Amino acid sequence: MFIAALLAAAVTEAPIVVISGTRTERASFDVPASIDAVAIDDSQPRVNASEALAAVPGLVVQNRQNYAQDLQISSRGFGARSAFGVRGVHLIADGIPASMPDGQGQAATFNLDMAERIEVLRGPYSAIYGNHAGGVIQLFSKEGEGAPSVELNVSGGSYGTHKTDLNAQGKQGGIGYLLDASRFDTDGYRAHSAATRDQAYAKLTLAPVDGAKLSIVASALRQDDTQDPLGVTWATYQRDPRANETDNADTQTPKRTLADRYNTRKSISHQQIGAAWEQHFGDDRLRVTAYGGNREVIQYQAFSKAFQAPATHSGGVVDFERDFSGAEISWTHVQHLAIGKLTTTAGVEYGRSSDARQGYENFIGNQFGVKGALRRDEDDKVSNLDPYLQTEWDSGAWQLSAGLRHNRVKISVDDHFISNGNDSGSLNYSHTTPVLGVLYRVAPQLNVYASAARGFETPTLNELFYSGTGGGFNFRLQPAYSTHLEGGIKARLNDGVRINAALFQVKTDDELVVDTASGGRTSYRNGGKTLRQGAELSLDATWRYGFSTRLALTTLRAIYDQGYGNVLKGSRLPGVPNANAYAELAWQESAGRWGAALEAIAASDIYVEDSNADKAAPGYGVLNARITARQQWGGWRFKQYARLNNLLDKNYVGSVIVGDTNKRYYEAAPQRNWMLGVSALYQF
């Protein structure tokens, strides 16, 4: 009776429209895949994608409190072992890949200030996006509309955190424009974790001819000397989670933390530009996308001179400059066939990255944290050329869909550092990934579906750089292959309650795992079979009197289905919790002037290395609260928010560094902290 009363109180809500999965606009309710669309609300500083993605089931997104290494993102366990950046999950922003052809990507390149929504695709349908698509995270930016406006956002909070964002948007003469610039800086919660990030973004949209749309986007990101706090051992974490203490591993006198001793840091300069042309011919559509950019990185790591003695060691300073570019063309054709509608998309995607990479010693004599002698000098090139075909037949209660992508990844190395042994050579990986799906409309408000696919995951450049024996480039490393199965239901109750539930299984052969790790150098190997089995549940509801709820639950059994070395069959995959949850109870005043919410986030324990022998990071649960306010006066619109995170002031490990050879696995999350933000917008 109580449940029935709640459902009767639900109010009408517009359907969520998504593009990921089918490459055409569809209501997510009618897509035979696990897919969510989320927005970063007005009560967040819009610095990290984790602010919004915590509410997505199947996804684990950890803010490492380390802006030198970016977020940790995994989808159904894929990408959990990444030491930095994002691998195993394909990133896209405004149709332009934020993941390179080898599968490594950087979520920091997302401009969240201008984000309209983020779509998250999990499961079999991710395979249609190619290499490393254990999941797909796709950001869509706003478009300039209406009369010109200018907006200023200012926020600040604990640990010396500040952000200022200025943007302008509008549409004149048929041209929509969007301009944004921001600066974020923080002293950091953990010792030696200060960061400053500057971002800029511009977008133009216009319709040069009837039925056409041209979008041009440009973005830039710059971080200078972003401090890297490193991880800590379990003993250090128990004594001092923020790692202000000296480290016994420091061989110098007086002892300091290794982050201080080597002044571990990273500088990043990233800029790119892209354009997308979309032409409609009735129901048919032609889409062409092209992009290019440059990324420069210099990173100072922490490991001692003794580890750099072997001639094969590449030093403690990484210095590279990357040029990248790509293009995609697709044609979508719609026709009526056998009392149904057949929609077919055929396309080809090309991507290329070229690195001029050097490595240097991180010392000169007894001076540490400086660029010393050259230890590495090479050119690395990665490219992909992937044709794909995707089709969907929709008739009455049934929807049948299929996709096929042929992945071809080429990697070449031209070694100029002869004294280090000539590691020049090339690798060619290829695999065809099929996708099948079926959806049945049981009732207007209830769909059931099933899907299956084969996945393909090549090693990234960083995983190929060392072999376990000779120390040179690992030309023996092979891709991992996976088989994905999923079944689920999607229900809309009284148009105000949405429920999505899915069961899934993934079997992987030749999983990429750590082989050896010593002195800052990690090599990888193909480590047998893994099994992932789990369930996801999401519930969104809007009730009377301004109340709404959101719930996202995930349970995941991710184990080695075949042992290797000292890793036994049944060992849990590191970096993957058995369960995680997000819950939110929110209230919005009818006129939209006031709002408040309580958020709960929880995760089970996480193993830190493959054998499960070392201390697992304990599970945790935290509560957050937020309050928002809005006012309008003439052409002015004002907004304010206040957040209090970790209300109960819990001390917990927020993320782990998988397989760290020095057992510095643990990265502490902040205790109770606050954030305040204000904004003012004027529309002319």
Side-chain angles (χ1 to χ4, degrees), residues 314-325:
S314 61
V317 180
V318 177
D319 188 353
F320 73 85
E321 180 176 353
R322 171 177 298 159
D323 293 319
F324 59 92
S325 59

Side-chain angles (χ1 to χ4, degrees), residues 83-346:
F84 62 91
V86 179
R87 69 174 305 283
V89 179
H90 198 61
L91 305 178
I92 306 171
D94 293 315
I96 297 173
S99 296
M100 294 295 104
D102 68 338
Q104 192 80 38
Q106 309 294 328
T109 60
F110 282 178
N111 186 294
L112 302 175
D113 293 303
M114 295 294 99
E116 180 179 70
R117 71 186 189 278
I118 302 176
E119 294 181 9
V120 182
L121 174 67
R122 288 101 58 211
Y125 264 77
S126 303
I128 202 66
Y129 285 87
N131 180 31
H132 273 258
V136 179
I137 298 176
Q138 190 163 188
L139 178 143
F140 295 88
S141 298
K142 302 173 185 176
E143 295 186 358
E145 295 287 350
S149 65
V150 177
E151 183 180 22
L152 175 66
N153 296 275
V154 179
S155 59
S158 301
Y159 318 118
T161 299
H162 307 90
K163 184 180 177 185
T164 302
D165 173 74
L166 180 65
N167 66 75
Q169 71 92 39
K171 189 172 185 178
Q172 290 184 322
I175 300 176
Y177 60 88
L178 202 65
L179 303 171
D180 179 76
S182 68
R183 164 162 284 200
F184 165 78
D185 60 83
T186 181
D187 295 334
Y189 170 71
R190 299 165 59 201
H192 197 81
S193 62
T196 298
R197 175 187 291 174
D198 294 314
Q199 283 187 279
Y201 179 84
K203 183 176 184 178
L204 295 176
T205 53
L206 58 155
V209 296
D210 288 343
K213 179 181 177 181
L214 174 64
S215 300
I216 302 172
V217 295
S219 63
L221 176 146
R222 186 175 184 88
Q223 294 183 195
D224 290 324
D225 288 335
T226 301
Q227 293 180 336
D228 186 346
L230 308 177
V232 299
T233 63
W234 181 247
T236 299
Y237 171 77
Q238 289 181 303
R239 291 195 311 269
D240 178 18
R242 300 178 70 173
N244 291 298
E245 296 183 2
T246 59
D247 196 312
N248 291 331
D250 185 15
T251 58
Q252 306 299 307
T253 302
K255 290 184 180 299
R256 298 160 61 183
T257 65
L258 293 185
D260 282 337
R261 174 70 66 193
Y262 287 91
N263 190 17
T264 49
R265 62 200 187 276
K266 180 189 282 188
S267 294
I268 305 168
S269 176
H270 181 105
Q271 43 274 320
Q272 64 184 53
I273 187 170
W277 176 282
E278 195 170 291
Q279 178 74 55
H280 287 266
F281 303 91
D283 291 334
D284 296 350
R285 185 196 68 181
L286 172 68
R287 181 176 173 85
V288 181
T289 303
Y291 64 91
N294 173 268
R295 182 178 181 87
E296 298 179 26
V297 173
I298 182 167
Q299 179 181 6
Y300 291 79
Q301 300 172 315
F303 45 90
S304 70
K305 295 165 65 174
F307 281 125
Q308 300 191 39
T312 55
H313 207 289
S314 61
V317 180
V318 177
D319 188 353
F320 73 85
E321 180 176 353
R322 171 177 298 159
D323 293 319
F324 59 92
S325 59
E328 182 176 3
I329 182 170
S330 66
W331 172 263
T332 299
H333 176 62
V334 180
Q335 67 181 101
H336 294 281
L337 179 67
I339 67 169
K341 185 174 74 170
L342 182 68
T343 304
T344 303
T345 299

Side-chain angles (χ1 to χ4, degrees), residues 334-462:
V334 180
Q335 67 181 101
H336 294 281
L337 179 67
I339 67 169
K341 185 174 74 170
L342 182 68
T343 304
T344 303
T345 299
V348 61
E349 182 179 350
Y350 171 77
R352 183 179 186 275
S353 68
S354 177
D355 294 3
R357 184 177 295 265
Q358 286 80 40
Y360 300 87
E361 294 176 345
N362 57 353
F363 63 91
I364 299 177
N366 288 322
Q367 185 180 5
F368 300 92
V370 296
K371 185 185 287 188
L374 181 70
R375 300 297 294 267
R376 182 183 207 137
D377 185 10
E378 66 190 41
D379 292 324
D380 305 314
K381 295 182 174 64
V382 186
S383 65
N384 72 289
L385 181 64
D386 300 358
Y388 61 85
L389 179 68
Q390 196 166 354
T391 187
E392 174 187 282
W393 179 68
D394 201 315
S395 178
W398 291 94
Q399 180 192 117
L400 305 177
S401 55
L404 198 67
R405 183 178 181 122
H406 184 65
N407 306 274
R408 288 181 291 182
V409 180
K410 296 183 178 181
I411 300 174
S412 65
V413 181
D414 188 6
D415 184 13
H416 308 299
F417 194 62
I418 306 303
S419 63
N420 194 26
N422 195 331
D423 282 335
S424 298
S426 63
L427 288 165
N428 291 281
Y429 300 126
S430 65
H431 189 64
T432 299
T433 53
V435 178
L436 294 173
V438 58
L439 181 142
Y440 179 68
R441 299 178 177 94
V442 179
Q445 303 300 317
L446 177 63
N447 289 345
V448 297
Y449 71 91
S451 58
R454 284 282 289 169
F456 175 67
E457 187 176 20
T458 68
T460 65
L461 269 177
N462 291 289

